[in-house]
Amino acid sequence: RQVDKLFLDLASLIEPWVGRWEWAAKMAMAAAVMTSQRNARSRPSHYNSRFADDYALRNTYLDDDHDGPNLCWLLIFFVVGGAFLSTGFYYAYSSFYDPRQATVLEYNRYVYEWNVTHRAELEKSAFSWRVVSPLPTSTLLPAVTCPSRPPTLVTCLGACDEAAAKGPAGNETEKQAGVCAGRCWQDAGMMPCMSSEAREILTLAVKDPYSEEAQAVPWQPFTISTESDAVARGQRTDDVATYEPYSLLISGVLPSDPPGSWDYGKWTGLPYTIEIKAESGGVERAFLLRDVALLEEVYASANQKMCRVHHNNNWHDGACWDRHAVESVCMNLNYSAAGGWDKGTGVGGPDGPFGCWVSAGGAPDHEIKYAPWCPGTKTILSQFTETCDFSKLEMRIRSAFDPHVRLYTLTDGTFNFGQTPTENWRQGIILICVGAFLYLPLAPIIIIKCSNRRNRRLRDNRAASHMFD
């Protein structure tokens, strides 16, 4: 009844003011009538003045069912508290055994072998490198002889040069002079031609690494690196053995501005092949790092809008792409029983990848690492930064027995030995206490809510029982 009265009062207020829009008042009247009919249909069939108060009282009781904490919040507290409790019990159970100790003991054994044997193997060896492809190649351009120019063409071109000399210096004057010269050649019925003598130019060309030209390239030595290798922070290291790092490092192998350009998502520059030579105890071994592509495009799973926002709007061929550059090169070498160095052999065999980081299953990663930024910097590649300064690219050689390489395998690439039993126990107790704190209010709240609902149901039944007298 209150809703009906509200719509009727609203219509009576609008009608004097609308004037020219009488249809607004008529629409409000129609809405009031429709609402009244709908409310009448929603009431029970036995609704009359005798049971009006009982019906209103019953609706009041039903509305009270929503009093108290919301069921959704109770569910959130239940789920979050359960997550804290389960995680806490897991950490508490993990404190009864110490997998970290086994990892540390094995790592310390590798460190001991490195300090006693394997570091000396690397120190007494000599490593060198050279780029065997592509190589500069001289190309002879033939002489160009143009036909004699008619007098009218010579006069016309001279007039264009005089007009350009009188005009102001700038791109606009040069553009007008070019248009004038082109018109002169067109009027003479000839193509523009400039005579030149035979000359020799240098270009890069792919070469066979074993050709005489490639083998004539001089060797360059590696630089010794003794910088410390980083491990994960925030962990206990007082029981971890220390060692003296030793690896081979080079930079400036590749040009700072390599020739090439992007052509429909493909880098037109030539790939590079680098030959590495290792000498130890009179044994000399050489192997190739083939086809180092400096730049590449990688498919990005994004629609056109997300490609524009997050991927530098590099959209072509109906897909989104990210540009990647060579970030680093790291090679894993193994000292053989015969006294020479070979590529680190993993599950891929002798011709497989021989990167520095080896998984627990014995699979080395690829020796060439790509990233969406340039080597030595964090400059993101985009349509505005098409290439990089590749002279900053670093190439490193590590021994297969390097403790840092072994630590990567032991910790699955995290360089973290794990937590001690005491740390696991403390974290477990803290999480259990937090979960118990979230669970404490749930039991009384649920009991009180169920009790209130039961009482409301009894009152509802007593209030409606006389309707059947």
Side-chain angles (χ1 to χ4, degrees), residues 446-464:
I446 293 175
I447 293 174
I448 294 173
K449 190 173 181 66
C450 293
S451 178
N452 292 340
R453 179 172 297 180
R454 179 178 178 275
N455 294 335
R456 285 195 297 270
R457 187 180 296 109
L458 292 176
R459 289 196 303 267
D460 183 26
N461 292 339
R462 284 195 298 267

Side-chain angles (χ1 to χ4, degrees), residues 46-306:
H46 57 269
Y47 179 82
N48 52 40
S49 59
R50 177 182 176 184
F51 304 115
D53 296 335
D54 294 336
Y55 185 78
L57 182 62
R58 183 178 182 182
N59 284 340
T60 302
Y61 290 153
L62 291 175
D63 292 339
D64 289 342
D65 287 340
H66 300 286
D67 293 344
N70 189 282
L71 183 61
C72 181
W73 282 106
L74 295 178
L75 182 62
I76 291 176
F77 270 75
F78 178 80
V79 173
V80 174
F84 274 100
L85 284 176
S86 59
T87 307
F89 282 120
Y90 171 77
Y91 276 104
Y93 177 77
S94 300
S95 65
F96 291 101
Y97 61 96
D98 190 4
R100 179 184 179 278
Q101 184 180 10
T103 304
V104 172
L105 290 176
E106 188 172 0
Y107 175 75
N108 289 344
R109 181 172 62 85
Y110 290 140
V111 170
Y112 175 78
E113 295 175 355
W114 168 262
N115 292 332
V116 173
T117 305
H118 301 303
R119 191 178 191 276
E121 294 172 351
L122 203 58
E123 283 182 327
K124 68 181 182 181
S125 304
F127 293 85
S128 53
W129 63 274
R130 63 184 178 185
V131 177
V132 293
S133 179
L135 296 176
T137 302
S138 61
T139 303
L140 181 63
L141 296 181
V144 178
T145 303
C146 297
S148 59
R149 300 177 181 180
T152 55
L153 176 60
V154 175
T155 303
C156 183
L157 293 175
C160 292
D161 294 338
E162 291 179 2
K166 294 179 181 180
N171 294 332
E172 188 63 28
T173 302
E174 294 179 1
K175 181 179 179 181
Q176 293 178 359
V179 173
C180 179
R183 190 181 299 112
C184 293
W185 284 99
Q186 185 177 5
D187 293 341
M190 300 177 61
M191 295 294 294
C193 180
M194 297 293 295
S195 299
S196 63
E197 298 180 354
R199 65 185 188 278
E200 192 174 312
I201 62 173
L202 292 177
T203 59
L204 290 178
V206 176
K207 298 293 183 179
D208 182 3
Y210 302 104
S211 63
E212 294 183 2
E213 188 176 359
Q215 295 301 315
V217 177
W219 292 96
Q220 303 291 333
F222 274 81
T223 303
I224 298 174
S225 174
T226 57
E227 58 180 332
S228 300
D229 298 316
V231 297
R233 298 180 179 178
Q235 60 175 327
R236 176 186 169 187
T237 57
D238 56 343
D239 56 345
V240 177
T242 59
Y243 66 97
E244 297 181 7
Y246 194 95
S247 60
L248 288 308
L249 182 69
I250 54 172
S251 61
V253 178
L254 302 178
S256 59
D257 187 17
S261 61
W262 290 99
D263 184 18
Y264 293 99
K266 293 184 179 180
W267 175 252
T268 59
L270 299 176
Y272 284 75
T273 300
I274 302 168
E275 188 175 9
I276 311 295
K277 183 176 68 172
E279 298 177 276
S280 177
V283 179
E284 182 179 308
R285 302 282 176 83
F287 53 91
L288 297 174
L289 185 63
R290 291 182 176 271
D291 300 333
V292 181
L294 304 185
L295 295 163
E296 65 177 10
E297 281 198 348
V298 180
Y299 171 76
S301 179
N303 56 30
Q304 195 164 2
K305 179 181 178 180
M306 292 296 102

